[in-house]
Amino acid sequence: MTTAAPQSQSASAFEPLVLLQMVCDIAETGGGVSPERISTRAWDQARSLSETFPDAPSARRICEHLDLSWEKLRELAFLPSAAQRIALGKALNERQGSWLTPEYSDYVLALVARRVGVRTLSPSAYRVERARMLAADRRSVHGGGLRLPTEDQIAAVAGSWDRALGHAGLSPRPARGHQPPRQRPLSIVEALERCYEHYETEPTSVELHAFAKANGIPLSRDRTRTWASYITEWKDGRRAAGLPVPDGPPPRHLRWDYTQNIGAGRPGEQRRRRDQPRDDLIDWLVRYLDQLRPRQHSTERGYNDWAAGQTGAPSSSAFDNHGGWAALRSDAQAELRRRRLTGAAEPRTPPINLSDMPGQRRRRPPTSLGGRQAKATLGDFVAAGRLRGDETLIGSYKGRSWRAAFDSQTGVVRVQGEGEFASLTGAAVHCQGGGAVSGFAFWGVERDGRVIKLAKLWNPN
């Protein structure tokens, strides 16, 4: 029995970045053609080979929806993610007649900041509130006409997100800690010179890497080059500078112990943290895939938004050392299918999320009002006897902690040293410096010497 091919969706059902990811993914599965030069006909034929986007619209429909040529789409699809977002923002703004002016960008940023109740905005916080505003506009009687730029379009107009914040009169995003800037990794030639400075002997490849590891020196490796070519380049440089050139490594019984830390590292140098095991990353991706709604596609940005609200979840950058986002997602999809077939998948019980994050499976706790399902408020906590109106809320993030008072009638939260916020989530986003966060998962109260989160306080089981 043959299985009917999945029906194609409309291009308007996907975000522009998802469409670019779709173009790249299907082009790479096409086979027999260079993905960067694939034709629309070959791309359409390759759609049936894609496990991720089996219901992709045709190349022609994507071009019509974005109003971009196929050549431009291919160019954007294979750009690095950061450059892709900026380039897409510029392309869409040019296509739409440059409707997004710096003045309108400033107005939108200030408006969203007031709605959220914060003095600064991260791109993810803006993206969340933008989705809410557009959804509300579509539900209104004369809706559908609201134009709100994406965060990438705003960054493209101003040059960067932080510049856009400054132009709009908002506060800069808080710095992530106070660590000194990391120096770039050393090339093999630079590391050879550093090693020779301390030992005055030529190391072997194994010895050089042992030296770098022991002294905390990050190395950049070009696997297309041979060790002999590095040695030749290093020695030629020393000869040109009139410095002595060793003949080669000394006899084995006269060699140094390169595994000792002799203080050859310099301030700001830091080796990369140990890679997270591949199985752990697959497990996180399985959890992310399992909470998606039917017909909701998985994206790298969607994963990062989800991971920001999960304790211990790595960002997608951790996937780079194991084949990248696409490779691990494919393995995670296969693992999720296996778990569901064998009944080994965990029950879908995502954490309570009261911030209306798009893309999240929301399970809201019942209030005390007749047992109906509704969004809990601070007043509901007080009315249910689970919170006192004079209690202090406690929140923490990356070693910092905040204390706040609240008004159970209005929902206003006053954070010590930070100001007033219209909601728990607005206060949490400000303290955390942006990102996806639920106020009920961020704030808690002290009970018996330990802090109990509000989400747990409401539903202890």
Side-chain angles (χ1 to χ4, degrees):
M1 182 178 66
T2 59
T3 303
Q7 187 176 1
S8 299
Q9 287 199 62
S10 168
S12 60
F14 301 94
E15 289 289 331
L17 277 171
V18 177
L19 290 174
L20 290 186
Q21 181 184 343
M22 185 184 296
V23 170
C24 180
D25 180 86
I26 295 176
E28 289 179 339
T29 61
V33 183
S34 174
E36 294 85 353
R37 297 196 300 271
I38 191 170
S39 66
T40 55
R41 182 177 181 180
W43 190 88
D44 285 342
Q45 292 174 346
R47 287 181 295 170
S48 60
L49 304 176
S50 173
E51 295 185 3
T52 308
F53 300 106
D55 54 353
S58 68
R60 179 183 175 183
R61 297 304 180 194
I62 295 176
C63 291
E64 290 176 348
H65 175 63
L66 295 179
D67 197 13
L68 297 173
S69 68
W70 181 247
E71 290 74 18
K72 184 64 176 179
L73 276 175
R74 288 184 310 194
E75 175 190 340
L76 293 172
F78 289 94
L79 286 175
S81 58
Q84 183 187 72
R85 291 193 292 268
I86 297 297
L88 178 62
K90 290 181 178 178
L92 293 180
N93 195 31
E94 291 170 359
R95 178 205 68 174
Q96 295 163 357
S98 298
W99 64 272
L100 178 56
T101 63
E103 293 75 20
Y104 188 62
S105 172
D106 295 345
Y107 166 77
V108 170
L109 280 174
L111 172 65
V112 172
R114 285 198 302 272
R115 287 174 57 92
V116 178
V118 296
R119 295 194 297 263
T120 188
L121 279 171
S122 67
S124 59
Y126 172 84
R127 183 164 62 248
V128 170
E129 187 61 26
R130 173 182 179 271
R132 290 176 181 163
M133 294 170 68
L134 291 175
D137 178 64
R138 286 192 294 269
R139 292 193 298 266
S140 64
V141 176
H142 303 289
L146 180 63
R147 293 183 104 178
L148 293 178
T150 66
E151 67 272 23
D152 300 319
Q153 288 178 297
I154 290 177
V157 168
S160 72
W161 181 260
D162 292 309
R163 286 184 183 178
L165 292 178
H167 293 166
L170 300 178
S171 302
R173 288 182 289 175
R176 299 263 180 176
H178 302 284
Q179 298 177 350
R182 291 180 59 180
Q183 296 183 7
R184 64 175 178 82
L186 265 64
S187 68
I188 296 295
V189 174
E190 292 171 325
L192 281 166
E193 186 63 28
R194 179 83 64 85
C195 184
Y196 191 83
E197 289 175 4
H198 289 274
Y199 288 109
E200 296 185 351
T201 57
E202 177 184 331
T204 65
S205 174
V206 173
E207 290 169 344
L208 181 69
H209 285 86
F211 163 78
K213 181 177 181 181
N215 291 273
I217 300 172
L219 289 181
S220 64
R221 310 176 188 180
D222 183 355
R223 300 186 184 276
T224 64
R225 294 187 57 180
T226 63
W227 176 252
S229 70
Y230 286 123
I231 292 294
T232 300
E233 181 182 343
W234 172 57
K235 291 184 176 181
D236 288 347
R238 290 190 66 85
R239 288 192 189 95
L243 299 173
V245 178
D247 295 330
R252 188 174 298 276
H253 67 281
L254 296 178
R255 295 182 187 176
W256 298 97
D257 181 3
Y258 291 95
T259 62
Q260 300 299 313
N261 186 346
I262 60 173
R266 294 178 182 172
E269 289 180 343
Q270 180 183 355
R271 289 180 60 84
R272 285 189 309 185
R273 291 179 297 180
R274 186 180 301 276
D275 292 343
Q276 199 159 349
R278 182 184 177 90
D279 289 346
D280 289 354
L281 299 179
I282 293 291
D283 189 58
W284 279 110
L285 270 173
V286 167
R287 297 186 208 179
Y288 161 68
L289 296 171
D290 193 38
Q291 58 85 46
L292 294 175
R293 299 191 301 270
R295 301 184 72 82
Q296 181 184 3
H297 288 289
S298 58
T299 65
E300 188 170 2
R301 172 176 285 185
Y303 168 81
N304 283 325
D305 285 347
W306 173 83
Q310 309 295 316
T311 303
S315 70
S316 62
S317 62
F319 306 156
D320 293 343
N321 294 325
H322 297 281
W325 159 259
L328 263 68
R329 180 183 59 181
S330 177
D331 291 348
Q333 288 169 336
E335 174 63 15
L336 180 58
R337 287 194 295 269
R338 185 193 68 79
R339 293 186 187 183
R340 287 177 176 172
L341 286 172
T342 60
E346 296 181 2
R348 295 190 179 190
T349 55
I352 294 174
N353 189 331
L354 301 180
S355 62
D356 260 351
M357 289 293 297
Q360 296 279 358
R361 185 181 297 277
R362 295 180 287 277
R363 200 186 91 204
R364 293 171 176 162
T367 68
S368 58
L369 307 176
R372 64 181 177 88
Q373 291 293 107
K375 185 172 181 177
T377 65
L378 285 168
D380 294 330
F381 275 79
V382 174
R386 295 172 182 172
L387 194 65
R388 299 193 313 273
D390 60 349
E391 279 194 278
T392 299
L393 301 178
I394 302 172
S396 60
Y397 180 70
K398 289 191 175 181
R400 290 192 60 190
S401 61
W402 295 266
R403 292 180 174 271
F406 65 91
D407 187 327
S408 60
Q409 300 299 318
T410 63
V412 171
V413 179
R414 302 176 182 85
V415 183
Q416 293 180 8
E418 302 292 341
E420 291 188 356
F421 301 89
S423 66
L424 283 170
T425 296
V429 169
H430 172 82
C431 294
Q432 183 174 285
V437 57
S438 164
F440 288 84
F442 183 89
W443 297 103
V445 290
E446 189 170 351
R447 294 282 193 274
D448 299 326
R450 63 192 186 96
V451 176
I452 306 296
K453 299 298 183 182
L454 295 180
K456 183 68 174 177
L457 193 69
W458 182 270
N459 187 10
N461 298 322

